[in-house]
Structure formats: structure tokens, C-alpha cells
Amino acid sequence: RFAITGKKLKAIIVALGDALNDVEFCLIALVGWDWFPFNKFLHDVTEQRRIASMSPAEIGDHKDDNGASEEETERNDPSFSSSALVKVREFNESNYWYQSARHISQAAKIGAFVYSCDAIAVILNTIGFRYRQQQGFSKKAFHISFSVWAALRVGELKHWMLRKFFNREKNQSGKVQVYNSILNVALATFTFGHILDLFDVNIGVALASLLSIGGVGTLVMSLASKDIATELVSGLAVGASDRFLPGDEIILGDGTAGFIESMGLLYTDIRSYSEVITRVPNSQLSGQRATNLSRAAPKSQVKQTLRFSYKDVKKMPELMQAIKEEIRKSCPTLIDDGSRPFRCHWRDFSESWLEVVVDAHFNTRPTGDVYYDLRQDVLVAIATAAESLGVEFTLPASICTAERLSI
């Protein structure tokens, strides 16, 4: 049947001419593939004319990336135009013109696809492939194509509305992901059911046949899906709680620490400081304490326990003041207004050393390079103060015990 003779080819051309409007098809294809580039061209031309027609007063006192004003730039570069400093409105997703052109172009492409399906049906019918539901082929292709396209467009609109709604509050991205996932499942289920309905599939009978596998099979499926259901519910709970998001640095109650690499409905990947990825089930993640360092208040503490020799016991009061002064000079973010403790005290006579505790608080978040540079500055300040007074650090004396061995 696929052998196309001259007679069949002529019959196909005649059948296509009778069934399809070639002018209409060409017009739809032209809109589908040329409408968007044409609108982008119009947008760029309109923007260039708008900028060229702006007066210096409308442009205002703009500066370039190097901080130079318009007059300075014009003196340095005679070919420079002040309109180059005006921000151009891009032809992207935030532009309503872009969205309308994109949707019209996509709808036209789907129309061209439906026309192509009609052409295929006509060709198959002409060469001898006849089937019972041929009359509904074009209608079903039309409904399926536009149903999927409409579902995708509704999904994008839904995500945009969720982001707009939850952006009114801080740290709500987790809820956006959870609600977006739930609505995506509902939208996909509705679209899939609508497509099955087009093919006259009785969903109730299909599900009954699938689930009628006996009591043992039902028990096995229930036990197998129990853990998955638990992880799904835990994943939704973790996402909706907004305790942490991808990119946050966290410390879990079991000691696991690192950065959130990705969050799914079943597992959460945590990248440790040694770059090792640990996959934690959401059921375990939702049931333990978690400290989010990335969302911590911009306050941190540096606390050190120092050991000095007994021979420097008379220098201890002077050393306390010297350490405080060095920390004040070295750490500008030190909180020294009384709202947080800033202590340096000789605490105890120990077995072989004098114990000193330094406790300081800073207006610095307790994570990242800035915090560890701050800790280093505190340690350098302590060492500088001790060196200035000739005070030496000491180590705990090792106590060796001998046991009598009975042979």
C-alpha cells in the first residue's frame, strides 16, 4: 500500500485539495513561525525610537558602570550617545507584549499540527488505510493538542500567581514549591483524564480491573506503598514549613551539617563541607531539630578557653585588659554596648595552668568566610596581647601512671 504510483500521487493531491485549504494552512504556519520574530523586531524598533526621542531632561543624570557622568563620557568618547545610558526594556517573559506574541505563535503552531494530522489522515485514506474512527481523528488531535497546551499555560500562570502571592512575605519559597507540586499533580490528572475521555476509556472499569488482584496482592501493594506515602507526606511537610531552602547552610540534630543541595518529595540532598552529598529521607528530616545558619540573625559568638603558666600569675589582671583592648582594635563588629557579654576573666587555678576564658559577641552572621576571618582576628588579638606582656601559653601536664604486671 505504501507504493506511491503516479495515479495514487495524483489522487492524494486532489484529495488534499478538496479536504484542506492550502491558503489557510500557509497563513497559520506563517503566524506560528514568523509572528514571534516579527513582534520582537517591532519591539526593538519601537524601543530604539523611544530612546532616540527622549530629551536630556527625561534621560536624567545617569552614570555608566564606571561611575562616569554623561558629560565626562561624552568628553572622553565623542561617538558616545547619552541615550546609551537609558535602560532598554527587554523583550522577555516580564513583558506583556512578549507573552501575547508567544501565546499567539504557540496556538498557531498547534493549529498547523492539527492541519498536518488532517493531511496524514487524508493521505492514509487515499492509499487504502481505512479505519473505523477516521472521522474523529482530526477532532481528537485538535482536542489533545489544545488540552496539553492549555494545561502548560495554566501551569505557568499558576506558578506566577503563587510567586506573586507568597512574595508578600519573606522565606515563603518552600510553600510555593509545595503548592505548585500539588497543583501540578491535580492539573496533570485532570488533563490525563480528559484525554482518556476523548478515547472513550472507562476509567472506573480500568481501575477496578487493575486493583482486583486479590487480598494478598492488595496487602503487598499496601505495605510497599506505605513508606513511599510516608516520605511524600514528610516531603510536603518539610517544604511547607520553610525551615530551609536549597542553598541554605544547616546543622541537623544528629550532627549532619552542610548546605542544602536539592529538596524533593522523597529525599533531601545535603552537601557537607567536604563536598560529599548525603541523601536524607524526608521522614528523618522532619522529625529532628535543624539549625539554619543562613537565616540566623547577624550575631555570632567567639569563645576561647586559654591556659597560661603559673609563673605569670602576677600579670593576669593586666593581661585581661590587654586582650580586651586588642580585640576592640582588631574587630570593628564587636558588640561592646552592654547588650551582649564581652568578657575576659581569669576563671580558675587548674592542676598545672591558669585558666582564662574569653567570650565576645559580634554583629556578624555565624557562617561563611567573614565569620571565620573574624575568629582568626580574635585569636591573633589574644596572641598579640600575650606576646606584648611576655606571657606564655602552656599545655596541660601529662600524668603517667605505671601498673605492676603480675607474671
Side-chain angles (χ1 to χ4, degrees), residues 329-342:
K329 290 191 299 182
S330 303
C331 307
T333 60
L334 173 70
I335 302 177
D336 196 18
D337 57 2
S339 62
R340 297 290 190 278
F342 176 39

Side-chain angles (χ1 to χ4, degrees), residues 58-72:
E58 292 175 319
I59 295 176
D61 186 18
H62 294 282
K63 293 185 178 182
D64 62 9
D65 296 336
N66 297 322
S69 62
E70 297 173 16
E71 292 79 6
E72 294 173 346

Side-chain angles (χ1 to χ4, degrees), residues 9 26 62 69 79 104 194 212 269 291:
L9 181 60
C26 292
H62 294 282
S69 62
S79 63
I104 292 174
H194 178 65
S212 59
D269 291 336
T291 301

